[in-house]
Amino acid sequence: MRWLGVWLPQWELDYLRHIHGFSKETPLVLYDVARAGVIKACSQAARFGVSKGQSMGSAAQLCHTLQPFRDEPSLHQAGCDWLCLHGYSFSARVVPPPASELMFERCHDVLLLESGSMAQLFGGEEAFAAAFASALSALGCQFSMAFADTPLAAGVLARAAGSSNSSNSSNSSKDNDRHRSKDNGKYQGNADNRRHNRGDSQSQNASLRQSKNASLKPTSATLAALAPCPLAFLPLPEALLMRLEGMGLDVIGALLSLPSSELGIRFGNELVLLLSRLVGKQPHPQPFYSPQEQYTQRLELLHEAESLSALVFVLGRMFTELALFLRQRQLAVSMLELVLHYRAVEHVDRQYDMQGHEIEGLKIEDLETEGSAIYPASHSRIALAYPFAEYSAEGLLALCRLQLERFSLAAPVMALTIQRCHFVPRSAAPGSALEDSHRASLSLLARLEARLGASRIKRLGARSALLPAQCVELHPMAAGKTADNGFLLQHIDGLGFACRPPWLLPTPLRIDEEKVVLLRGPERLREPWWQAAPKNDGCGDKHADAIGANIGVTSGAQIDDTSGIERGETASASISERDSEKASTRTGTRHSEGSRGKSAKRKGKNVCHQLSECAGGQSSGNACDQSCEYSGVQSLENSVVQSHKNSGESREYSVVQNREHSVVQSLGSTAERCGAARDYYLARHSDGGLCWVFRREGEPGLYLQGWF
Amino acid sequence: MKTSAKDLPGQLGRADIWLGQETCREPGYSTGIAALDAALPDGGWPRHGVCELSCPVAGSQSLLLLTPLLRTLTRERDCPVLLVGAPWQLNPVYLLQHGLRPEHFCQVSPASRKDTLWAMEQSLGSGGCRLLLGWLDRLTLTEARRLQLAAEKGACLAIILVDEPTAGNPLPLRLGISPAGGTPSLLSNRRSSLPTHPGQLELKLLKRRGGQAQESLLLDGLSPLLARYLPEQGSPRVVQGPWGVH
């Protein structure tokens, strides 16, 4: 097994520089909160004289533009994930840098990539190293790399490669003229560093390639390369290093030449094990990075963001990371949650509640106080929906922007989290011009949905129902097309030449009889009596269907509870079923499923006998009657089936109930009887338009149902 | 500057010079009514651009007028027809009766006029929509210009139904509908041309690119289904209720 060791002396700072978008010249330091001392300083900070071990006060005096970051376990974890995520594009076996307190195990600040299995794919180890080096330099990392046969040796050699450069550069100014020209501009940019380091790694590479040819002794050349490396490159505790140095042991070669039994007696078994792992005498199992299934990314903002435009820049960087995650898995995201962590403000709660009502389609959950010690502030969660699964960073950001436009920040934002992504497989990329246009249409619909809210854009559908208004179904755009119009076409045939109006009123409106002139009719339809609930269930339940909760919505899991638009027939059927199950006091229409179906059918025939036109064309009267009867039965069966399907959905129930109150109010006292007949007329309005009105059986007055 | 005869074909190719009735290089979508096709400059609805259709009263049968266009477009392409800001609910049964499929229609109901205009402009310019029906109270000069530009960019046809027409809008086609009966509309200046039968419709060509505004057209039988359903002229067949149920 071959290993590529990549020594990244400031990888935490590289990570911070990348996610916060600092320029390459900005000096960054990592400091220990307890001791207020510098742990790591980047090369830009080092130019000002900032170095490890200094107090933060001294560091700040040396460099005014210093950006300090506290050293936290979460930062370590996030940085590791970031490095491994990028390393995972090159090798399936990636070992993240160990924690700084972990001794005798792995070299610190070293990312390991198993390269033996990947070298052939990239066309040799050199090409493999070059490809990874270009990726790292694109991320703005400082690094040096080396190949070796054991993970520890790879780490030590990578570090040696990096250190030889820096020692050369420090010596060069004193006496070594030979190195001066070579190391000019050592700290002037990562690209230069990379060139030097790569050169070194290649020289190591060359020496190691020779060892590979002599396959029986895989570690001999490694040993030769390791021998002059100082002991400090090994992950040894400080006290042990000082003891070894006190004995005159300062390079690895000297330590390796000592008998291991003696070393074990004097310094403990860990050192012996470390050395045998270093030279490959003992196996060295590695904790490989396994890519996370769930995606969570949290970013603390450097400055409080008070406007959405400030957030958009940050989100752009976050979505770039997400896009890489998606690309590696060939996934797309259909929904994710964006959490805005606010600075703690007392009045935030109330403001959110108001907003939650105002902003339709935007789910803002109740505020919770997070357990974070740093920001005990409230936060709001925004569900970002991508109806046509996005995977590119631009697409993710564009739709996110539109959805954020409907949202206003209640307090300055301190941090952002992207979490709870819902992944779906990517669909094939569009090829032809037709698919381009299809894609444009999908992206248009996604944009409209993002800006206006999912409840405001619906695809029209149809279903078979007795009352005209119940035939309407509105599907969410993401649900895709459903084209099962079989029942419905029979229903249409049954209508004969009874032309339906193109426009329906969501709720029938009472109008003055003087305002209309009846032209044609009546056509009798009966309200579905079997779906009505008993009177003691509350006024709202009586007439859900009978009148006007007429805008249908697809049944099933896609119901958007923010829409405020719900269907009529199916859910009210579920109301009666639920009620019949829970209320033992109820008398009346409790049926078993079989008897329910039968009775509905039987009643359906009765209704359909009345469906025919009383004064319609005499010539086709009989035929029309028969076909109406048939379609009526079909529609009844259909609706009974749907009522069974939906009987358990309590969410639907509550929404529908709200809806019904308004309906009943609009009809006033007319909601007393269930299953009344309606006589529909084609009429001319006094303003000149053609309309469709109905009169309820036994009631004065007309209701306006639709317009032509 | 004089233009010689041989330069003329080149000059005539310019986008800002129209040649009377012969502006159109590609024929438009047929309206389904021969008289109207003949009157419209492209031989029908234009392929793209914004048309203003003013319907002063509800129930003016505007969708009946557009049904042949909807049929042509939904058959031709799989793009959805967007209805932006429709005042009522589109009836899927009507669509099925007229050979249209409800799943081709997307209803967008924005909360404000600003959102309505935004949705229209986005849809028109996206290239992912072939026909948009929009409803507004009126279309101002600026709005008309922006929508027209977007429609040209996205090669989309938009028909904006307004309550009252705005004179001088830079649109290729502006029509006004007045249904039969009722009060005489502001559009018609001749009382005698008013339709009397409920199935009839007066269509006024307020503006057409490539020709002068014409007298109004009297259209009859927009929907054959409705025409059969309507009673004969002068003999309304109504049986008044109420009836009891036995």
Side-chain angles (χ1 to χ4, degrees), chain A residues 15-24 26 299 302 317:
Chain A
Y15 166 68
L16 290 167
R17 190 187 298 278
H18 177 78
I19 60 159
H20 289 300
F22 287 123
S23 73
K24 285 180 179 175
T26 315
L299 183 62
L302 290 176
R317 287 200 294 273

Side-chain angles (χ1 to χ4, degrees), chain A residues 180 182-189 192-193 196:
Chain A
R180 184 171 291 158
K182 180 186 168 189
D183 292 316
N184 256 351
K186 172 77 186 161
Y187 289 111
Q188 285 182 2
D192 289 348
N193 268 344
H196 291 299

Side-chain angles (χ1 to χ4, degrees), chain A residues 463 470 473 531-533 541 543-545 549 551-556 559 565-579 639-660:
Chain A
R463 66 196 172 91
Q470 293 170 5
E473 266 190 329
Q531 288 168 357
D541 297 351
H543 250 357
D545 237 42
I551 302 181
V553 144
T554 176
S555 55
I559 287 170
I565 303 173
E566 288 296 344
R567 43 84 351 290
E569 184 179 16
T570 55
S572 57
S574 77
I575 291 168
S576 56
E577 280 212 356
R578 281 169 55 89
D579 290 341
S639 56
V640 169
V641 168
Q642 288 189 355
S643 74
H644 291 163
K645 240 189 256 171
N646 287 308
S647 58
E649 295 183 5
S650 56
R651 271 174 74 205
E652 219 174 336
Y653 172 67
S654 63
V655 176
V656 170
Q657 203 172 23
N658 292 338
R659 190 70 189 161
E660 284 152 12

